Amino acid sequence: MATGVLRNAGIKGIACAVPDNIKRSEEYNSTFGADSVQKFINMTGIKKRHVALDRQCTSDLCYVAAKNLLEKLNWEPSSIDALILITQTPDYAVPPSSCVLQHRLGLSEDCITFDVNLGCSAYVYGVWMAATMISTQNLNRVLLLVGDTSNFGINPNDSATAMLFGDGGTATAFERTEGKEIKYVLKTKGSGFKSIIVPAGHARSRGKSNMEASDYALSMNGSEIFTFTITDVPKTIKNFLQQYNISDDNIDKYVFHQANLFILKHLAKKLNIPMEKVAVSIDRYGNTSGESIPLTLVDAYGTKKSSGTARLLLSGFGIGLSWGCIYLDIDTSVFLPMIYTNDYFRGG
Amino acid sequence: MTNKEKLNMLEELLDIEENTLQEDARLDEINQWDSMSVISLIALFDDTFERVITPEEIKEFVTIKDIIDEMDRGDGNWQQES
């Protein structure tokens, strides 16, 4: 089983930038009908979302988050040993957007830089990757960027996805810290690859002549995904907590991927945990894909004069199908307040 | 659990006035039966009957009675197990 403990890697800061542009669910009354929109709000909990402007890319949001974070930490760009960008909405088909960000952030040529394509599970995988690099290699500082502008490529007439996604970019700074531990479990079930998919636009559709416009938009099978989140996900979380002897008393906050409020409530019920301990941002930010966990953390801890240590159970689950859990403790003063921006890169 | 209780559960799930849903009502003729109610039904089976019903099984349902029959099956299994 892909589970273990990563040692000597700690999180020194987390920042999140979202577009200043807000879309309210009620704005869709004329498209889908007021009753349907209300039903959607009741189930998903989504009242509004921050949606990127046409010229605003994931890399722009991650850039703002990373720039602010490096300034707050007073870290020299040249001190970053690795930059990981996890996104499903890169700037270009090629090259990797992480390379553009390495340049924009002024990082060193000696910085390991690469993109990873993951969605809802991006953050738990990203924490594992960043901490592994520090724990097992001679690296001191790793910058993990996770973001998406999921509204790019959405069919505006598909009521399942048109009102669902919020956009955002996050930056998490890892540094070698003796004595710190991060526990993880990561899983994959590729047989469910069609559950959330954009079928067209890449090599698999190259030889197909019958592609329609809707094939270039995100298609989501809500009931398959829901079944996955009430079977595999709680089972993994339960086994993980049991394996490492982590009881509810050892967890201050459960931070799950913000899929929709119905799923969050159902998951809490299945795990027998009170909703008060489950962080929720989906009502104001929508389903924010891979960045939903760090965004929700910033939403929970970034606005307060937080201090002290929080023991967190993080779990991301979805597209792939891919999922996992992280258990760590974090000094809550490391969070920057939420950043709102309409900035975008003019040199791309 | 009586059939009436099961019907009432489905009325609540579909946001339909209490005691108006008929067992022979066809799902494709119920306006409120949509992709979100499919998810709610999966959750209801999971919560109440402690078992997972798949989207494929739900696709086979034609009428409300088909759902109730499935509940009866679940109900029985659940009682036997407990």
Side-chain angles (χ1 to χ4, degrees):
Chain A
M1 197 155 65
T3 182
V5 183
L6 294 162
R7 293 188 169 83
N8 303 330
I11 292 178
K12 298 296 173 175
I14 302 184
C16 177
V18 295
D20 218 357
N21 177 42
I22 290 175
K23 276 278 208 188
R24 293 178 190 282
S25 297
E26 278 105 12
E27 290 175 42
Y28 292 81
N29 283 356
S30 56
T31 312
F32 301 118
D35 287 351
S36 294
V37 171
Q38 194 53 52
K39 196 172 175 184
F40 174 86
I41 295 171
N42 293 346
M43 176 165 255
T44 62
I46 300 168
K47 298 185 184 95
K48 63 173 186 174
R49 305 162 292 136
H50 291 257
V51 174
L53 304 172
D54 282 348
R55 291 185 178 179
Q56 204 173 19
C57 296
T58 301
S59 64
D60 298 322
L61 295 164
C62 287
Y63 171 79
V64 171
K67 188 86 178 157
N68 278 274
L69 187 58
L70 293 181
E71 278 167 14
K72 188 220 173 192
L73 291 168
N74 209 13
W75 282 10
E76 284 298 324
S78 58
S79 70
I80 308 295
D81 298 309
L83 172 72
I84 306 166
L85 170 67
I86 312 187
T87 186
Q88 297 181 129
T89 47
D91 296 7
Y92 314 103
V94 287
S97 303
S98 50
C99 294
V100 183
L101 284 168
Q102 181 266 353
H103 162 62
R104 289 180 67 193
L105 290 166
L107 307 188
S108 146
E109 282 188 14
D110 293 319
C111 180
I112 297 169
T113 302
F114 58 93
D115 279 18
V116 174
N117 180 339
L118 282 169
C120 318
S121 63
Y123 198 68
V124 290
Y125 268 80
V127 168
W128 173 78
M129 272 183 260
T132 297
M133 290 167 99
I134 291 173
S135 190
T136 67
Q137 303 299 308
N138 190 27
L139 304 182
N140 284 313
R141 287 178 173 171
V142 177
L143 201 52
L144 168 67
L145 308 182
V146 179
D148 265 314
T149 47
S150 305
N151 286 292
F152 170 75
I154 290 296
N155 176 356
N157 297 314
D158 176 11
S159 62
T161 55
M163 301 178 280
L164 187 64
F165 294 105
D167 301 329
T170 66
T172 305
F174 289 79
E175 190 174 42
R176 179 170 298 280
T177 315
E178 300 299 325
K180 278 279 181 190
E181 279 190 1
I182 296 175
K183 299 184 174 77
Y184 72 90
V185 61
L186 297 173
K187 293 178 79 81
T188 312
K189 191 188 259 187
S191 58
F193 76 96
K194 286 183 180 170
S195 297
I196 311 176
I197 189 169
V198 180
H202 283 76
R204 183 60 64 194
S205 60
R206 194 171 45 191
K208 295 180 180 171
S209 55
N210 55 346
M211 303 311 275
E212 294 176 12
S214 60
D215 292 326
Y216 291 84
L218 185 84
S219 148
M220 194 173 65
N221 187 323
S223 51
E224 276 178 16
I225 291 292
F226 183 70
T227 306
F228 160 67
T229 56
I230 65 168
T231 52
D232 299 278
V233 177
K235 192 173 151 197
T236 299
I237 296 174
K238 276 180 189 167
N239 289 344
F240 177 67
L241 296 178
Q242 200 173 14
Q243 180 175 359
Y244 293 104
N245 205 16
I246 304 165
S247 73
D248 182 57
D249 294 339
N250 305 127
I251 299 169
D252 297 310
K253 210 72 155 171
Y254 294 82
V255 188
F256 299 131
H257 165 57
Q258 303 285 299
N260 71 50
L261 193 59
F262 188 75
I263 286 178
L264 292 180
K265 284 181 177 169
H266 203 83
L267 201 50
K269 200 189 290 180
K270 286 203 77 97
L271 293 168
N272 204 20
I273 53 177
M275 268 311 276
E276 294 77 54
K277 286 180 84 170
V278 178
V280 175
S281 69
I282 189 160
D283 51 334
R284 289 153 293 128
Y285 294 94
N287 176 332
T288 41
S289 185
E291 70 274 18
S292 72
I293 291 173
L295 182 150
T296 304
L297 284 169
V298 165
D299 181 56
Y301 295 106
T303 51
K304 298 168 198 143
K305 290 261 177 270
S306 301
S307 63
T309 303
R311 297 159 304 170
L312 305 172
L313 189 277
L314 317 178
S315 183
F317 43 84
I319 192 164
L321 301 168
S322 168
W323 73 106
C325 299
I326 294 284
Y327 179 72
L328 50 70
D329 58 61
I330 196 164
D331 177 347
T332 56
S333 65
V334 306
F335 295 97
L336 269 67
M338 191 69 76
I339 302 162
Y340 303 92
T341 178
N342 281 335
D343 282 354
Y344 60 89
F345 186 42
R346 267 90 171 163
Chain B
M1 191 184 290
T2 65
N3 266 19
K4 187 173 181 301
E5 284 168 327
K6 286 172 190 149
L7 275 171
N8 290 155
M9 279 169 69
L10 291 175
E11 282 157 349
E12 192 184 338
L13 184 148
L14 291 165
D15 200 15
I16 289 174
E17 200 180 327
E18 202 174 311
N19 301 327
T20 60
L21 191 62
Q22 302 296 320
E23 282 194 30
D24 60 358
R26 288 180 61 91
L27 295 173
D28 57 9
E29 290 171 1
I30 298 172
N31 286 339
Q32 292 88 338
W33 178 253
D34 59 12
S35 58
M36 280 188 264
S37 30
V38 170
I39 290 171
S40 300
L41 189 67
I42 297 170
L44 187 149
F45 268 87
D46 187 42
D47 277 347
T48 313
F49 304 106
E50 294 185 10
R51 69 191 182 92
V52 174
I53 183 167
T54 65
E56 289 71 30
E57 285 174 284
I58 295 176
K59 270 182 204 148
E60 298 296 316
F61 297 153
V62 180
T63 65
I64 290 290
K65 186 172 185 308
D66 294 334
I67 300 178
I68 290 180
D69 288 347
E70 190 66 31
M71 285 175 171
D72 287 340
R73 204 166 71 78
D75 211 3
N77 290 345
W78 177 60
Q79 280 171 357
Q80 274 165 23
E81 281 169 23
S82 58

